[in-house]
Amino acid sequence: MMMASMVANGNRDGRQGEALVLKGVDPETCMIVFKNHWAQVVKILEKHDPLRSNTSSNMASAVQNYVEHMLFLLMEEDAGQAGAMGPILEFVVMENVMERLFLWSLRRQFTDDMKLEQLKMYEMIVGQARQPLLHHKPVLRPLMMLLSSCSGTAGPEVEAELVSLLNQLCCVLAKDQSVLELFFHTSEDQGAANFLIFSLLIPFIHREGLVGQQARDALLLIMSLSAENQRVAQHIAENTYFCPVLATGLSGLYSSLPTKLEVPGEEWHCLHREDWLQMPTLVQFLNSLEFCNAVIQVAHPSIRDQLVSYIYNGFLVPVLAPALHKLTLEEVMTTTAYLDLFVRSVSEPILLQTFLSFILLHRHENVHILDTLVSRINTPFQLGTVSLALFQTLIGLYCEDVMLQLILRYLIPCNHMMLSQRRVVKERDFYSVSAAKILALTPSCCSPEHSPPPLRQLDSILWSKGTDNKTEESFLEEDGSGYSCVIGSEIYLDVNYLHYLYNARLGISSCTRACQVWSAPYDGEDPPPEEYQPSALEEAGARGRQAQTVNPKRSHPHPRPRPPCPPQTTDPAPTNQLELEWDDSYDAGPVVPPEAATAESSRPPQPPAAEPPKHIQEMRRTAIMLVKGSYIEESDFQDDVMVYDLVAKKDEDHFKVSSLQEKDEVPLSNGLSLPPHPTNMEVNSSEVTKGSKEVKAHVADHNSNLQSPLATEVGDDLMDQYEELIRTLGSDEAGTGGSSHVKTVDKEFRNPVVTPMEEDEVDFSSFSVDTPELEKQHSSLFGTKLRSGSTRSHSVPFTGPFVSVLLSRLENMLDNSLHVNLLLTGILAQLAAYPQPLLQSFLLNTNMVFQPSVRSLYQVLASLKNQIEQQASTKKDFPELITSAQHCLLARESSLKGQDTNSGDSRECSPLEAGRMMKSSPPPQPKTISLARTEVFATVLFTEFLKELAAIAQEHSILSHVPMEE
Amino acid sequence: MNLNPFWSMSTNTVRKVRERSSFSALKANFCQVHPTHKREERQKNRIFKRSQRDSHTLKRSDGEEQSGEQQQPRASPARPSFGKKQLPSIPKNAVPITKPASPAAMAQLANGTHASYGPFYLEYSLLAEFTLVIKQKLPGIYVQPSYKSALMWFGVIFIRHGLYQDGVFKFTVYIPDNYPDGECPRVVFDIPVFHPLVDPVSGELDVRRAFTKWRRNHNHIWQVLMYARTVFYKINTMEPLNPEAAVLYDKDVQLFKSKVVDSVKLCNSHLFDQPKMDDPYAISFSSWNPAIHDEAKERMFTHKRRPEDHQKGLQVSGLSWVKPGSTQPFSRDDNPPLS
């Protein structure tokens, strides 16, 4: 305790006055004092062997006093000439002072207090000595003995002190690697685990608070040491449990996270800093994750690879994957939000790669995590929004692998465009034709010509015609730099369009710069489309999968029989089919079976999402109705084996039941029937529960012959199927779109533009071409089904599930809430800023001619414009509402800005602020407008989105063609 | 703004350096010329001025200006991404200062595009043209759009051999404001060069004979510049704008040559004159000043020599684990094994 006070107070006590005068004292005097003290101590030690006689506390404190001063002298001693030991240190080494002191205190009762005292003593001399002490075994060995005696059980105070000392030792190690060898040797003498310092630190890795932090810092020092020192690296990787402890620790910490988040509001969609700061368990998890990140950053590759592998196999696969497939909507949503947060928190590329390869390549129950996540974008409620937010994060990584899996691989074959269009891919839009076409979609009620909104009247910029500017009524002004420029007003220009241009420029430049590390330009030539045609893809895919992941089809227990009707093409590609099967699920245009559609249209239109419970009931009922028409379609998603079996059975009831059973055992191959949701809807309200029970009863009727204990589960599973089915079919404008399917279908019949009848409308030609084929599919039953399925997979171009699902959500823009639309348009703008010609031409080139079955962003925008015009023409107060909504959004914007400037925090904070702001309702405006008027807000947002896209298109026409040079 | 292109006339050996330097200065300027920057600047001026004139009018104009820059991701955390939709803020107490716009300008164009965006399309079309010019790396030709208008480009051409060897001719390109649907751009030399196709009074080059009809997507401004260069190497005397020169060339080449030499001398003697146009981006020459130019030259050459190093300096934020030639994610060999 004396030492403690000395350390803490810097010896201000100074009874002997040594500290104060020490500077002037010559070394010889110090040596004499030291020797004297030691003689006294030795006397006491010899007289009072603690084992034989009871050492009086007097004696003990006398020893402490002497030692205190001796150590102080030692600490203050300078090294001798040419790095030789100073006389005091030499004496300490010769006389084995430290060891004798340690042994003496060991022979007394070695209490926590004693340990504390010794630890502090070492901490002081290690930290403050002016010459290296640890090189000398007589100093080092007692230290190691002390350390090992402190391992195991000890009070929190001792632990804190131990970690603090270890931290200090690591600092010394980091500065002077020559000590390292000694640490190894010493511990070999001891016969203990090789690298004691390290082993002692491991138990504290996941500790919270200061101790944990210090331990992690110390470990990081050792990690960076390992990068240069093969021996340390090898020891850690081969002889310690460091990596497993770290990784399984993550799993442990994860399991203590809340499985359901208390969501602050409907608009919430991701975990912001302020959110997780209030969750201690999450903070702790993130600390450990951050530590892993840091370790991977600095450690030797062998440790790094081991840790990454443990995180993958010990945390992601066994813990996170199942968590992503929990049963209730809330749980799944929570996990998704966690995953998003984790991906955002990780900065080290290799760790990020681990997370990404988990998301992109891992299959949980034979379904890619990515496919599952994509399919969830279309789920109603918050899961869809949270999933969107996750994808926003992923796209923002500028990661080639992500973009490849999400979109690019579907575009590489160039099958989505007419053959003649391939040369257009790289063409540049010299005259902003695409921008003009996009802006031409501006709804008349929002066009600046029609009635300039009050905000825009303020801003007009002179477009000086250069050659004849003298004729303008303009005036010259000097700006700060001494240049003059023409100021005046000639034409109304949308000033905020300048902001979009500016932003587009920033976005495209940073994206372009980021993409310089990519392996290919994706310009329609490299990678060559010919090599990645479906047939070629199949081989490549098979090869890739064999190398990397287990191909589920290959590992399938059953042998894979040939379909009864041989497919027209020579070889049905399993992998490719797997990809293209998505076609049914998302891109299928009007997949509504005729009978279901008529049933829908005969029903009165539903109020938009006013009564969720009723709405869900509705959905369930629809599901049942759809069963007849589309269950086959659903089964088409599944393994051919199953379909084959099912076809053989013929009996419809039987058919369903057995297929359901099958489903329990054999998970679907396309991720569609992953069961995140259905039961969860029951959580929402009792009414819903009732509704679902009804459905269950219905199901039970159908499955009356099924009396197994599995009954309820199967029922749930069937519910899953229904859910998925609805979602699947609803992904299109003409389909029953997600939560608002009823309305959408209804709309389709009200809105002539989107019906297949309107064939002269070029933009919608896709629909009309699409429909017959799909009808044919519906009318054809089992046998032909199979063939059509495999044919389709080869012939119908498809731009991938992600694009499809985004576009179909966008198509529902008028029904989406504001924040969903913000997310959606944000993601699309993010995608549009990518410089790859394939992506650019697909999203922004309005002149491109696509295959009829491919829906383009422009088509969706055009149909939205029509929907809006329709709304505007039927509602008299529409312009007024638009103005109110504009004001409301502006107020929101400026309040966000206010938040930004108020919190002078780091950049990372601002989006979080935004998140908070989103929760609060917008402040009252001259005319208040309810956020429930989604169509009004969507109209305003739509107009802004057009500008954003046009601006991106314009900037692309310049930036993408200039070599990047700063 | 201190990146004014510098020029210096001295010996032939310096010329190459000079030319290259001009090119890079050009590119540097290109960044400034870019409309968004320029616009921003202009607008700032305007708002600034307006608030000076009428101090209570636009108190919040500064904030308004920032809104553009601040349009950073809000709803999405941490990762760089694109901002949300944003409208400019409503200036409080603002009295709208509006001018009735000409009805013609406000009308919708035939193809349904909004006229109010027309200027943006035009400016971007011209910028696209300019980037093409840069890409072409036309030998001895340098151009730069003016500060005031993208429709006016300043240029200079260096003739390296032939009759006009050592000629340094400054010119201006005028682009019609209905570009690309109008006539072909005009090229006017600051000093009328003695040449059959250059008007001895106005200095205008007969460009139209090469581009009888300007076709969008097929004709580009770099072709005009290319043509302007060619006329000095391959002399055409058909339908001349300067009949004297044409006749001399056909009848008395020696006299023609001496007249050309005089003309070149005259042009070069005016090289250091103030630019004809009062424009910050006008091309002006100054004599070689080691204090300024040596360092700039040095910088340019080191940049040229080590482009890779330069690249490395940039913080690359993108990620890729795709093996070149593969479309499989994480196909690169250096991926750490995950199992």
Side-chain angles (χ1 to χ4, degrees):
Chain A
M1 296 316 275
M2 279 297 128
M3 304 309 298
S5 72
M6 195 173 105
V7 174
N9 306 328
N11 201 24
R12 54 137 197 231
D13 157 316
R15 263 165 304 171
Q16 322 278 319
E18 275 165 327
L20 301 172
V21 295
L22 209 57
K23 286 228 165 92
V25 177
D26 67 304
E28 265 173 59
T29 317
C30 290
M31 185 63 198
I32 292 166
V33 173
F34 188 91
K35 279 183 173 168
N36 275 338
H37 283 358
W38 178 238
Q40 298 297 319
V41 171
V42 168
K43 232 184 261 173
I44 298 173
L45 296 194
E46 280 169 355
K47 263 192 210 161
H48 302 272
D49 187 331
L51 286 187
R52 272 183 276 137
S53 62
N54 256 356
T55 317
S56 71
S57 57
N58 260 354
M59 288 298 108
S61 73
V63 170
Q64 271 167 30
N65 266 335
Y66 286 123
V67 169
E68 180 181 318
H69 296 122
M70 284 163 61
L71 292 182
F72 192 76
L73 288 166
L74 173 62
M75 225 168 67
E76 291 291 312
E77 186 186 57
D78 291 311
Q81 296 218 319
M85 286 186 269
I88 295 181
L89 177 58
E90 198 173 346
F91 184 82
V92 167
V93 169
M94 298 300 288
E95 293 287 314
N96 214 354
V97 171
M98 299 309 286
E99 192 160 340
R100 285 172 74 178
L101 283 173
F102 174 71
L103 289 176
W104 188 71
S105 61
L106 202 61
R107 294 169 82 149
R108 294 167 62 205
Q109 280 181 313
F110 200 50
T111 56
D112 275 5
D113 280 352
M114 299 282 281
K115 288 180 191 170
L116 214 53
E117 197 175 282
Q118 295 267 325
L119 288 169
K120 286 186 173 165
M121 190 172 87
Y122 275 102
E123 193 188 351
M124 185 178 74
I125 58 169
V126 167
Q128 299 182 40
R130 295 181 185 174
Q131 51 187 334
L133 300 178
L134 296 172
H135 286 281
H136 308 289
K137 265 201 177 164
V139 179
L140 187 60
R141 203 165 50 204
L143 168 62
M144 298 309 276
M145 289 192 289
L146 170 66
L147 290 177
S148 54
S149 72
C150 287
S151 69
T153 52
E157 272 186 59
V158 176
E159 280 189 338
E161 198 51 46
L162 174 65
V163 169
S164 166
L165 173 59
L166 290 171
N167 187 305
Q168 197 134 42
L169 289 172
C170 289
C171 291
V172 173
L173 273 181
K175 273 186 226 144
D176 180 6
Q177 283 202 39
S178 58
V179 194
L180 187 67
E181 287 295 304
L182 294 165
F183 271 97
F184 271 105
H185 284 303
T186 319
S187 35
E188 271 160 24
D189 288 355
Q190 295 270 307
N194 243 335
F195 194 14
L196 186 63
I197 300 182
F198 185 77
S199 318
L200 284 175
L201 281 168
I202 290 183
F204 300 96
I205 289 180
H206 299 293
R207 197 62 71 83
E208 54 190 323
L210 183 68
V211 174
Q213 198 51 54
Q214 260 185 333
R216 288 190 288 268
D217 290 348
L219 282 166
L220 273 185
L221 287 172
I222 297 181
M223 286 305 139
S224 47
L225 208 64
S226 78
E228 298 151 31
N229 190 309
Q230 175 64 32
R231 185 165 170 206
V232 174
Q234 196 181 349
H235 172 71
I236 293 171
E238 288 171 13
N239 303 332
T240 74
Y241 290 109
F242 178 66
C243 294
V245 164
L246 250 186
T248 52
L250 282 185
S251 300
L253 291 173
Y254 185 86
S255 67
S256 59
L257 296 183
T259 50
K260 290 176 189 178
L261 288 175
E262 297 222 354
V263 173
E266 197 215 332
E267 300 193 339
W268 181 90
H269 59 271
C270 74
L271 278 164
H272 298 302
R273 191 157 185 272
E274 53 174 21
D275 293 334
W276 58 258
L277 276 180
Q278 286 166 13
M279 300 168 59
T281 50
L282 194 50
V283 171
Q284 215 186 329
F285 182 91
L286 288 176
N287 280 341
S288 288
L289 186 63
E290 190 194 331
F291 179 62
C292 292
N293 191 60
V295 168
I296 289 166
Q297 202 161 27
V298 298
H300 188 271
S302 62
I303 300 174
R304 189 190 68 194
D305 291 352
Q306 198 185 38
L307 178 57
V308 156
S309 164
Y310 272 111
I311 289 176
Y312 189 87
N313 295 304
F315 169 60
L316 293 176
V317 170
V319 176
L320 208 56
L324 277 171
H325 295 83
K326 288 247 179 88
L327 282 179
T328 69
L329 192 75
E330 279 105 330
E331 282 174 310
V332 171
M333 183 206 77
T334 303
T335 314
T336 310
Y338 287 151
L339 180 59
D340 174 52
L341 176 64
F342 300 160
V343 172
R344 275 187 282 128
S345 309
V346 168
S347 68
E348 183 56 26
I350 292 174
L351 185 54
L352 202 53
Q353 192 245 22
T354 310
F355 272 85
L356 291 179
S357 68
F358 167 71
I359 294 172
L360 300 183
L361 296 181
H362 179 66
R363 290 156 172 261
H364 184 78
E365 292 172 355
N366 279 342
V367 184
H368 281 295
I369 299 278
L370 183 70
D371 293 343
T372 307
L373 293 173
V374 168
S375 73
R376 285 177 184 161
I377 291 177
N378 235 355
T379 31
F381 314 114
Q382 230 142 357
L383 178 58
T385 334
V386 171
S387 301
L388 271 179
L390 171 64
F391 280 101
Q392 188 171 42
T393 301
L394 291 178
I395 292 167
L397 293 174
Y398 303 133
C399 174
E400 181 175 10
D401 309 65
V402 169
M403 293 302 288
L404 196 55
Q405 287 298 88
L406 274 184
I407 303 172
L408 287 172
R409 65 181 180 139
Y410 301 98
L411 303 182
I412 290 171
C414 288
N415 288 336
H416 60 288
M417 64 188 83
M418 294 299 189
L419 197 62
S420 62
Q421 297 290 299
R422 286 199 192 171
R423 57 178 177 78
V424 185
V425 170
K426 278 172 84 175
E427 250 173 36
R428 105 147 95 169
D429 180 9
F430 274 105
Y431 309 115
S432 302
V433 175
S434 293
K437 263 187 113 175
I438 290 169
L439 284 169
L441 293 178
T442 306
S444 52
C445 54
C446 290
S447 99
E449 284 87 5
H450 183 259
S451 61
L455 2 149
R456 296 214 185 84
Q457 288 184 351
L458 289 172
D459 297 306
S460 53
I461 300 172
L462 171 80
W463 175 253
S464 141
K465 287 205 176 103
T467 45
D468 53 355
N469 59 28
K470 293 271 153 36
T471 64
E472 303 291 341
E473 52 142 327
S474 60
F475 45 97
L476 294 173
E477 293 185 29
E478 293 284 315
D479 67 10
S481 55
Y483 298 130
S484 60
C485 66
V486 187
I487 303 296
S489 151
E490 187 192 328
I491 301 174
Y492 284 119
L493 281 186
D494 203 339
V495 168
N496 90 15
Y497 189 65
L498 288 176
H499 296 156
Y500 285 116
L501 286 171
Y502 183 71
N503 267 0
R505 183 173 179 77
L506 289 184
I508 294 170
S509 324
S510 58
C511 188
T512 309
R513 215 174 298 128
C515 292
Q516 281 174 342
V517 298
W518 285 26
S519 74
Y522 298 96
D523 55 1
E525 287 169 18
D526 178 18
E530 301 76 30
E531 280 181 33
Y532 294 98
Q533 291 307 306
S535 50
L537 260 184
E538 161 201 338
E539 279 169 41
R543 249 185 287 122
R545 272 167 227 267
Q546 268 170 345
Q548 281 174 340
T549 55
V550 190
N551 185 336
K553 303 240 172 177
R554 274 165 221 274
S555 67
H556 203 280
H558 307 290
R560 186 184 163 79
R562 286 262 148 230
C565 309
Q568 289 149 353
T569 40
T570 44
D571 190 15
T575 52
N576 183 41
Q577 215 168 346
L578 206 73
E579 287 150 14
L580 292 173
E581 271 163 1
W582 281 102
D583 196 28
D584 311 62
S585 51
Y586 293 106
D587 221 17
V591 205
V592 185
E595 66 268 44
T598 39
E600 287 295 345
S601 61
S602 65
R603 205 170 314 165
Q606 292 289 310
E611 298 162 26
K614 211 180 198 175
H615 170 80
I616 290 160
Q617 282 183 334
E618 206 66 70
M619 198 153 83
R620 308 217 169 237
R621 236 189 317 149
T622 325
I624 294 160
M625 278 191 284
L626 287 177
V627 162
K628 270 198 178 162
S630 51
Y631 187 73
I632 308 306
E633 186 72 12
E634 177 74 358
S635 69
D636 196 33
F637 296 146
Q638 299 170 37
D639 208 304
D640 288 350
V641 183
M642 272 168 48
V643 180
Y644 182 66
D645 280 345
L646 298 176
V647 169
K649 295 198 177 167
K650 296 262 178 189
D651 177 85
E652 203 181 332
D653 274 350
H654 225 78
F655 163 70
K656 277 180 193 163
V657 173
S658 55
S659 78
L660 284 169
Q661 282 170 328
E662 285 273 1
K663 251 176 248 161
D664 261 356
E665 295 153 16
V666 186
L668 302 190
S669 52
N670 57 12
L672 273 185
S673 58
L674 281 169
H677 351 290
T679 41
N680 9 7
M681 308 213 170
E682 294 164 31
V683 189
N684 285 345
S685 82
S686 56
E687 267 183 84
V688 184
T689 320
K690 210 177 85 196
S692 70
K693 270 181 191 149
E694 280 171 22
V695 180
K696 270 185 199 160
H698 217 296
V699 172
D701 285 346
H702 276 278
N703 305 333
S704 50
N705 52 347
L706 180 78
Q707 292 296 338
S708 71
L710 274 169
T712 46
E713 260 183 73
V714 172
D716 277 351
D717 205 87
L718 183 58
M719 291 313 304
D720 288 358
Q721 298 301 314
Y722 287 165
E723 284 293 333
E724 284 302 346
L725 207 132
I726 291 165
R727 213 164 291 125
T728 308
L729 297 170
S731 59
D732 217 295
E733 159 63 21
T736 52
S739 61
S740 52
H741 63 287
V742 176
K743 200 170 19 138
T744 332
V745 169
D746 190 52
K747 194 187 298 150
E748 194 218 329
F749 284 86
R750 272 190 283 122
N751 188 345
V753 185
V754 280
T755 50
M757 314 303 165
E758 205 86 342
E759 263 150 42
D760 42 356
E761 182 82 49
V762 174
D763 289 335
F764 303 103
S765 57
S766 61
F767 292 138
S768 52
V769 179
D770 214 8
T771 313
E773 191 197 346
L774 284 152
E775 274 172 2
K776 189 176 70 214
Q777 282 168 18
H778 280 291
S779 57
S780 65
L781 281 182
F782 308 96
T784 45
K785 234 13 248 172
L786 286 168
R787 194 176 47 207
S788 78
S790 49
T791 313
R792 231 175 331 141
S793 63
H794 279 279
S795 63
V796 176
F798 179 44
T799 52
F802 182 64
V803 166
S804 305
V805 96
L806 275 188
L807 291 185
S808 45
R809 284 216 79 161
L810 185 70
E811 193 143 35
N812 280 329
M813 196 173 178
L814 297 193
D815 305 320
N816 291 341
S817 64
L818 175 64
H819 65 282
V820 168
N821 284 335
L822 283 170
L823 265 175
L824 267 178
T825 53
I827 289 176
L828 282 163
Q830 223 174 346
L831 289 176
Y834 271 89
Q836 285 69 29
L838 275 178
L839 201 51
Q840 230 188 87
S841 61
F842 174 62
L843 289 175
L844 293 174
N845 190 340
T846 54
N847 292 331
M848 196 96 169
V849 185
F850 297 111
Q851 295 286 352
S853 62
V854 168
R855 220 157 29 130
S856 70
L857 176 59
Y858 182 73
Q859 282 173 357
V860 173
L861 293 174
S863 97
L864 275 170
K865 178 199 160 69
N866 284 314
Q867 291 175 40
I868 289 170
E869 297 292 0
Q870 182 125 8
Q871 295 261 4
S873 64
T874 51
K875 291 177 185 164
K876 270 187 193 147
D877 58 344
F878 208 68
E880 221 175 306
L881 288 171
I882 293 285
T883 313
S884 306
Q886 280 170 336
H887 278 283
C888 178
L889 286 173
L890 280 171
R892 177 178 166 274
E893 201 64 49
S894 46
S895 65
L896 285 179
K897 217 181 294 163
Q899 285 293 322
D900 279 356
T901 45
N902 285 346
S903 67
D905 230 328
S906 63
R907 259 279 289 112
E908 208 179 314
C909 258
S910 56
L912 313 177
E913 300 292 344
R916 180 140 48 82
M917 286 315 293
M918 283 185 76
K919 287 171 212 158
S920 66
S921 56
Q925 279 295 310
K927 280 224 160 142
T928 48
I929 173 168
S930 155
L931 277 171
R933 302 298 300 263
T934 53
E935 77 282 4
V936 179
F937 281 96
T939 302
V940 177
L941 208 58
F942 176 74
T943 311
E944 296 301 310
F945 183 45
L946 294 178
K947 287 188 226 163
E948 188 175 19
L949 285 178
I952 292 171
Q954 284 204 285
E955 283 293 343
H956 268 311
S957 73
I958 295 170
L959 283 179
S960 304
H961 298 269
V962 179
M964 292 298 290
E965 269 175 275
E966 278 304 307
Chain B
M1 284 305 164
N2 51 5
L3 278 164
N4 271 334
F6 55 86
W7 302 80
S8 54
M9 284 293 292
S10 54
T11 61
N12 262 338
T13 47
V14 184
R15 177 165 296 168
K16 269 223 154 80
V17 176
R18 171 185 9 106
E19 290 184 11
R20 212 169 277 163
S21 70
S22 67
F23 184 59
S24 139
L26 233 170
K27 276 188 287 186
N29 270 325
F30 167 59
C31 301
Q32 299 171 356
V33 178
H34 192 277
T36 43
H37 295 263
K38 198 163 92 186
R39 288 290 178 203
E40 213 89 336
E41 224 171 80
R42 283 186 192 174
Q43 213 207 324
K44 222 166 241 167
N45 296 336
R46 186 177 57 76
I47 289 177
F48 175 67
K49 276 295 170 193
R50 209 154 72 184
S51 57
Q52 271 195 337
R53 268 196 313 237
D54 189 357
S55 56
H56 71 269
T57 314
L58 275 168
K59 282 265 162 57
R60 285 175 46 184
S61 59
D62 271 357
E64 196 183 354
E65 270 310 289
Q66 282 162 14
S67 66
E69 278 100 332
Q70 281 192 353
Q71 198 175 348
Q72 294 300 333
R74 291 233 165 67
S76 91
R79 295 286 176 205
S81 61
F82 285 87
K84 303 285 130 248
K85 310 289 98 48
Q86 190 171 36
L87 299 160
S89 56
I90 318 164
K92 278 203 181 114
N93 313 319
V95 182
I97 308 165
T98 47
K99 272 187 189 180
S102 64
M106 299 298 283
Q108 290 229 320
L109 299 179
N111 59 0
T113 58
H114 291 286
S116 61
Y117 291 104
F120 289 105
Y121 306 148
L122 178 56
E123 184 144 351
Y124 273 76
S125 303
L126 293 170
L127 269 163
E129 288 290 350
F130 185 68
T131 58
L132 261 192
V133 171
I134 290 181
K135 244 187 175 173
Q136 295 299 323
K137 296 196 165 68
L138 300 172
I141 297 181
Y142 305 102
V143 285
Q144 168 155 274
S146 88
Y147 178 81
K148 288 172 191 163
S149 166
L151 291 168
M152 181 164 61
W153 295 10
F154 303 116
V156 63
I157 183 169
F158 295 85
I159 307 298
R160 285 158 180 170
H161 43 81
L163 290 172
Y164 290 85
Q165 182 168 352
D166 293 339
V168 182
F169 308 125
K170 290 205 267 184
F171 60 87
T172 310
V173 182
Y174 296 96
I175 300 150
D177 61 8
N178 55 350
Y179 184 86
D181 297 318
E183 303 273 282
C184 74
R186 292 160 54 219
V187 173
V188 181
F189 289 100
D190 285 13
I191 298 165
V193 193
F194 184 75
H195 189 284
L197 300 186
V198 175
D199 187 303
V201 180
S202 67
E204 179 160 2
L205 173 71
D206 185 1
V207 179
R208 209 160 299 170
R209 68 167 62 212
F211 303 91
T212 42
K213 177 151 177 25
W214 188 261
R215 292 183 304 157
R216 53 155 59 208
N217 277 318
H218 286 89
N219 291 131
H220 295 292
I221 294 176
W222 70 267
Q223 296 163 337
V224 174
L225 299 176
M226 194 65 175
Y227 171 75
R229 180 178 176 273
T230 316
V231 297
F232 291 106
Y233 293 103
K234 261 182 79 180
I235 285 148
N236 184 349
T237 52
M238 299 283 283
E239 297 173 47
L241 290 184
N242 186 342
E244 185 203 349
V247 169
L248 273 187
Y249 182 78
D250 288 338
K251 301 274 158 66
D252 186 352
V253 183
Q254 282 316 313
L255 185 55
F256 178 81
K257 276 183 181 168
S258 75
K259 284 224 164 202
V260 165
V261 169
D262 291 346
S263 177
V264 165
K265 271 184 186 156
L266 178 76
C267 288
N268 290 359
S269 70
H270 284 92
L271 209 53
F272 296 91
D273 292 0
Q274 279 301 302
K276 247 169 64 181
M277 300 279 181
D278 179 27
D279 189 289
Y281 292 164
I283 294 172
S284 67
F285 285 74
S286 67
S287 52
W288 184 266
N289 177 354
I292 306 166
H293 299 140
D294 278 352
E295 191 209 330
K297 174 183 158 192
E298 177 66 23
R299 227 182 314 135
M300 255 173 305
F301 273 78
T302 49
H303 172 75
K304 270 247 152 77
R305 236 175 276 132
R306 296 179 298 162
E308 296 89 10
D309 292 4
H310 188 69
Q311 293 254 318
K312 260 180 217 164
L314 290 172
Q315 189 64 42
V316 176
S317 54
L319 298 167
S320 171
W321 292 278
V322 181
K323 187 174 163 184
S326 163
T327 55
Q328 289 295 312
F330 309 110
S331 47
R332 235 167 54 188
D333 301 328
D334 58 348
N335 288 320
L338 288 181
S339 49

